[in-house]
Amino acid sequence: MEGERERQIVRNMRFFSSSCRSNVRLPGKTVVVTGANCGIGKETAKDLYRRGARVILACRDTNKAKEAVNDIKERCSRDSENDSRNQPGELEICQLNLSDLKSVRKCAQHLLSTESAIHILINNAGTFLHPFEKTADGFETHFQVNHLSHFLFTLLLLPKIRESGPGCRIINVSSLAHKAGDINFEDINSERSYSSIKAYAQSKLANILFTKELDNKLRAAGIQNINVYTLHPGVVSTNLARHVDRTIFRGAESMWKIVTPFVKTAKQGSQTSIYCAVDDKVGNESGLYYDNCKAVRPSARARNPELAKKLWKYSCEVLGLPNDMELEELLRTLSREEAEQ
């Protein structure tokens, strides 16, 4: 009895976790989920696969992705043994290393050439409180992995998503940490003074600003069949905290393990991503920020349209893309450049 009471307290303390209640099925739909070999991404992939979608796990480590695919299939097979009406979809793997822009382009090229359609893109992968390090492309790790690579990946896939019919969705996983963030254009790589917390918060703010500006540009271009969303998954027990001993203080990871019973599980953390991907009501919304399966108000900086425009232009500039083109022209230029490579 005492043990059951303790378990009930833990369940009640998981920060008011909401669940996606939609029963929408996704047969014939293709979904790309970055960072889907573990944590929130894996649970998101499993749910959408169970709904009948063709789910592509875009992951850095293909061996871990294969393990995830086998585990998802096994778990879903057990769940569907007694329900032949809801057969699962398909699972595929595509190698994607977000710390390498060449890998981003290669993955996008592969998907463009092999997939007839992409209906849902979930930019889920990320790094958290990483020690100061620059990628091979010369960018601070949080800024590239969490924002810049997903920015490029989305633009590269956008023509295919646009061609895939009505009801397409792009979902960018952000964080409540964006409220502590600002975009320091004078020191975007945090070289003058590095704080892993500030770098992470900056990248999560960038996710929301990118979503806002992408929505504006889609509407301005008259592209009505793509809606975009960003969200806070909650405080979730995943392996993202593996760097905290080096970036916060020695022993921080052990302290994190103590509090993990009181935060969301990966399955609970995936619910808002799933909600944005399948809910019928959300299909009539775009450009909003969600928490616990409902639209909420992000920080003032995240709602600043001028900051969103500035970040878009800056992101294009550092990626070597034209920063003053309308979306249609930019997409044609990208498609032309990719075809020439």
Side-chain angles (χ1 to χ4, degrees):
M1 179 68 74
E2 188 67 27
E4 177 57 33
R5 185 182 298 115
E6 290 174 355
R7 285 191 289 273
Q8 185 63 44
I9 291 171
V10 168
R11 285 194 290 269
N12 291 339
M13 290 182 69
R14 288 190 186 273
F15 297 112
F16 312 103
S17 178
S18 297
S19 296
C20 175
R21 301 186 182 280
S22 171
N23 294 317
V24 165
R25 297 279 299 162
L26 298 173
K29 302 295 185 181
T30 297
V31 183
V32 177
V33 185
T34 70
N37 61 284
C38 63
I40 296 170
K42 180 180 175 182
E43 291 295 334
T44 302
K46 179 169 73 72
D47 182 278
L48 302 181
Y49 165 72
R50 180 180 282 146
R51 294 172 187 266
R54 172 178 171 81
V55 183
I56 300 167
L57 288 72
C59 305
R60 180 181 58 182
D61 189 326
T62 54
N63 288 327
K64 290 182 179 179
K66 290 174 185 176
E67 292 175 4
V69 165
N70 292 335
D71 183 58
I72 290 171
K73 286 182 176 179
E74 182 180 346
R75 290 163 66 188
C76 289
S77 176
R78 291 197 302 266
D79 294 344
S80 62
E81 280 179 356
N82 300 319
D83 190 357
S84 59
R85 297 169 301 171
N86 294 330
Q87 289 300 305
E90 302 173 66
L91 293 171
E92 296 292 339
I93 295 169
C94 186
Q95 204 275 336
L96 171 65
N97 181 358
L98 293 167
S99 64
D100 182 352
L101 294 176
K102 289 181 181 178
S103 175
V104 174
R105 292 181 181 276
K106 184 177 180 180
C107 181
Q109 288 171 348
H110 174 77
L111 294 175
L112 292 171
S113 63
T114 58
E115 299 302 320
S116 59
I118 297 174
H119 302 94
I120 303 171
L121 169 62
I122 303 178
N123 291 317
N124 162 84
T127 190
F128 175 65
L129 303 187
H130 198 285
F132 180 77
E133 186 176 24
K134 281 188 176 182
T135 66
D137 301 294
F139 301 105
E140 189 274 323
T141 300
H142 290 96
F143 185 69
Q144 178 166 333
V145 171
N146 294 355
H147 164 63
L148 202 58
S149 287
H150 278 134
F151 178 92
L152 177 61
F153 192 55
T154 301
L155 290 183
L156 292 172
L157 295 183
L158 203 54
K160 177 71 70 176
I161 298 172
R162 182 183 184 181
E163 296 168 1
S164 299
C168 294
R169 306 187 188 192
I170 297 171
I171 298 153
N172 296 318
V173 177
S174 180
S175 168
L176 185 67
H178 82 272
K179 293 190 174 183
D182 196 1
I183 308 297
N184 185 356
F185 293 102
E186 301 303 315
D187 186 26
I188 205 79
N189 289 319
S190 307
E191 294 171 288
R192 298 175 189 168
S193 175
Y194 184 71
S195 160
S196 60
I197 295 174
K198 288 183 179 179
Y200 177 73
Q202 174 179 251
S203 70
K204 294 290 102 179
L205 174 60
N207 293 150
I208 302 178
L209 293 170
F210 167 45
T211 304
K212 294 282 187 182
E213 187 60 11
L214 177 59
D215 181 59
N216 290 337
K217 290 188 177 297
L218 288 169
R219 305 310 150 218
I223 300 174
Q224 301 297 326
N225 70 314
I226 302 174
N227 288 351
V228 297
Y229 313 87
T230 186
L231 62 100
H232 169 55
V235 181
V236 182
S237 176
T238 71
N239 67 352
L240 277 179
R242 62 189 180 275
H243 299 300
V244 296
D245 269 8
R246 287 189 289 164
T247 57
I248 305 299
F249 57 82
R250 186 175 298 276
E253 187 173 5
S254 297
M255 292 183 65
W256 170 251
K257 290 177 181 177
I258 293 172
V259 303
T260 51
F262 304 101
V263 301
K264 288 185 179 182
T265 64
K267 182 176 180 179
Q268 290 171 325
S270 70
Q271 294 304 300
T272 304
S273 292
I274 296 164
Y275 174 76
C276 290
V278 304
D279 187 81
D280 287 332
K281 175 179 175 291
V282 172
N284 298 317
E285 302 171 349
S286 187
L288 302 181
Y289 170 74
Y290 298 80
D291 183 8
N292 274 320
C293 299
K294 63 181 180 181
V296 298
R297 189 177 170 96
S299 71
R301 287 194 184 99
R303 304 192 309 272
N304 185 328
E306 295 307 313
L307 187 59
K309 289 184 177 70
K310 187 174 181 179
L311 178 64
W312 179 285
K313 288 187 175 183
Y314 183 88
S315 300
C316 286
E317 182 180 328
V318 297
L319 287 169
L321 306 175
N323 65 7
D324 56 352
M325 287 183 174
E326 297 298 327
L327 185 61
E328 290 275 21
E329 188 178 359
L330 176 60
L331 295 181
R332 284 195 295 269
T333 299
L334 272 171
S335 297
R336 204 163 46 240
E337 290 178 353
E338 293 302 310
E340 293 172 354
Q341 291 185 5

